[in-house]
Every structure is written in C-alpha cells, then in structure tokens.
Amino acid sequence: DLPPPDDASVAEWRRELGLEGKTIIGFAGRFVREKGFDFLLRAVPAIVASVPEAHFVFAGEHRIPYESFYEEHEALLRDNEHRFTFLGLISDPQRMANFYRLLDLFALPSRTDCFPSTQIESVRCGTPLVTADIPGAREIVNVTGMGRIVRAGDPGALAEGIVDVVQNLDAYRAKHEVALDVFDPEKTYDAYEQLFEQSLGR
C-alpha cells in the first residue's frame, strides 16, 4: 500500500516539470506490446483536438531488452515529443503516490492484463481511470465507478473516454471515498484471513 500523496511535493514537481496549466494523462509500466501504449500514441491527435492542453507522462522503463516495441514506435513519439514526459522507473513509494496525484487521469490501454495494481494505487490516490475493456482491468472501474471503460484496441474509443473523463473530472473524483473503502488494505487482509480460515476448517 502506498502512503498518501504529499500535495505540496506534487505541486512543486508539477512546476519543476513545467506542467502547470496542463491536463496530465499518465500511464505506467513496461513499454511493451502487452500494455498497448501504441493505442494511446495513436489516440493523441483526437485527444488534443478536444483537450489542447493535454500532456502525457510515463513512469516506467521504456527501453526493454527483450522487446523492440519502443523502438518500433519512436516515430510516433517524435511526432508528439513536446507532449510526452518520461520519468523513468519510480521505486520510491512516496514518489509513486505523488506520481498518481500529479495526474488528472490514469490510462490503461492494455491488450492483456490481470488485476493491475497500478489502477488500485491510482484510484486510492484520487486519480480516475480510463481502462481498456479487458478481463481483470475492467473490474476496478466497475466496482468504484471512478472512470471509464472503453473498447480495447481502439484508439478512437480510448480518446473518447479520456476526453469524457477530463471534461467530468469532479464527478469521477467524487468516487474517491468509494475507492478507498473498496480497496482498504485492512479489509482485504481480513477477507483473505477469513477465506484461509474457512478453507482450513473444511
């Protein structure tokens, strides 16, 4: 579980990155085919048409030795390089919490995923989601209402979902307390403990 975001540090970080006044769309993970970042790259023109101040921030490794996915999409990145900031891998829990709070929304355009911890961390830090409609990943949005589920593998649908969330941020952020309750670590630990006890009892 991450610590609460430090809002003063977040504001300072935003200034350091030169992102004051920007609408920040974030994504995190390995820059690999599975994560579907190419869909987000292709969605950029449609997003910018409706949200001219949009800026994209990536946390994670982008040069992966066992895949050339980043290199294959460098041309797309160059077309929009002034709109992208790469932060690299963030290993400090406080810094990661601040990363989520820095964002206006967190995008997960994955081709496949399980039950992404990044989404849980995002909503617990108060940041809404736009998530591909794939098993596992869609569940976090379904149970919290804190974001949009969009057709997987469709840059147009992804752009539409991102624009909708940006234009209705207050409504999605209002579900923050629901997310904190649903994904309360203590409740989760207790539920697992009860499950184990029941299993052992049988």
Side-chain angles (χ1 to χ4, degrees):
D1 187 35
L2 297 179
D6 180 341
D7 287 329
S9 296
V10 171
E12 182 180 355
W13 197 7
R14 184 183 282 258
R15 285 193 297 271
E16 289 173 358
L17 293 171
L19 298 180
E20 291 177 298
K22 300 293 186 182
T23 295
I24 304 179
I25 298 153
F27 50 119
R30 295 164 296 125
F31 205 106
V32 295
R33 177 176 173 77
E34 175 191 7
K35 298 298 182 183
F37 294 142
D38 52 321
F39 300 136
L40 183 58
L41 288 172
R42 291 188 171 91
V44 168
I47 295 167
V48 170
S50 295
V51 187
E53 72 280 10
H55 193 88
F56 302 83
V57 178
F58 173 67
E61 299 285 0
H62 62 281
R63 293 192 182 275
I64 308 298
Y66 54 84
E67 271 196 37
S68 59
F69 191 71
Y70 175 80
E71 288 75 14
E72 290 167 10
H73 294 88
E74 279 188 287
L76 273 175
L77 279 164
R78 280 196 298 272
D79 289 343
N80 296 283
E81 60 185 351
H82 63 294
R83 292 191 178 274
F84 279 82
T85 297
F86 284 76
L87 299 177
L89 183 65
I90 300 174
S91 57
D92 178 69
Q94 184 64 67
R95 190 75 160 173
M96 198 66 204
N98 293 350
F99 164 75
Y100 291 116
R101 183 62 67 87
L102 179 72
L103 311 179
D104 289 293
L105 68 88
F106 183 89
L108 191 135
S110 298
R111 287 176 167 85
T112 61
D113 232 311
C114 295
F115 192 68
S117 59
T118 52
Q119 289 183 292
I120 297 171
E121 292 169 348
S122 180
V123 295
R124 282 187 54 79
C125 290
T127 301
L129 307 170
V130 176
T131 299
D133 190 4
I134 56 175
R138 67 171 77 101
E139 184 65 15
I140 291 90
V141 176
N142 279 333
V143 298
T144 64
M146 199 170 168
R148 278 279 306 272
I149 299 169
V150 299
R151 188 165 52 251
D154 186 333
L158 181 63
E160 181 184 344
I162 287 172
V163 170
D164 171 70
V165 171
V166 166
Q167 292 176 344
N168 297 281
L169 278 173
D170 288 344
Y172 289 109
R173 286 172 176 160
K175 306 292 181 66
H176 186 204
E177 291 299 322
V178 176
L180 288 173
D181 181 61
V182 171
F183 294 112
D184 182 316
E186 291 302 321
K187 285 186 175 181
T188 303
Y189 302 150
D190 289 344
Y192 271 114
E193 188 174 21
Q194 290 173 21
L195 179 61
F196 293 148
E197 287 175 351
Q198 290 169 8
S199 298
L200 289 170
R202 292 195 185 101

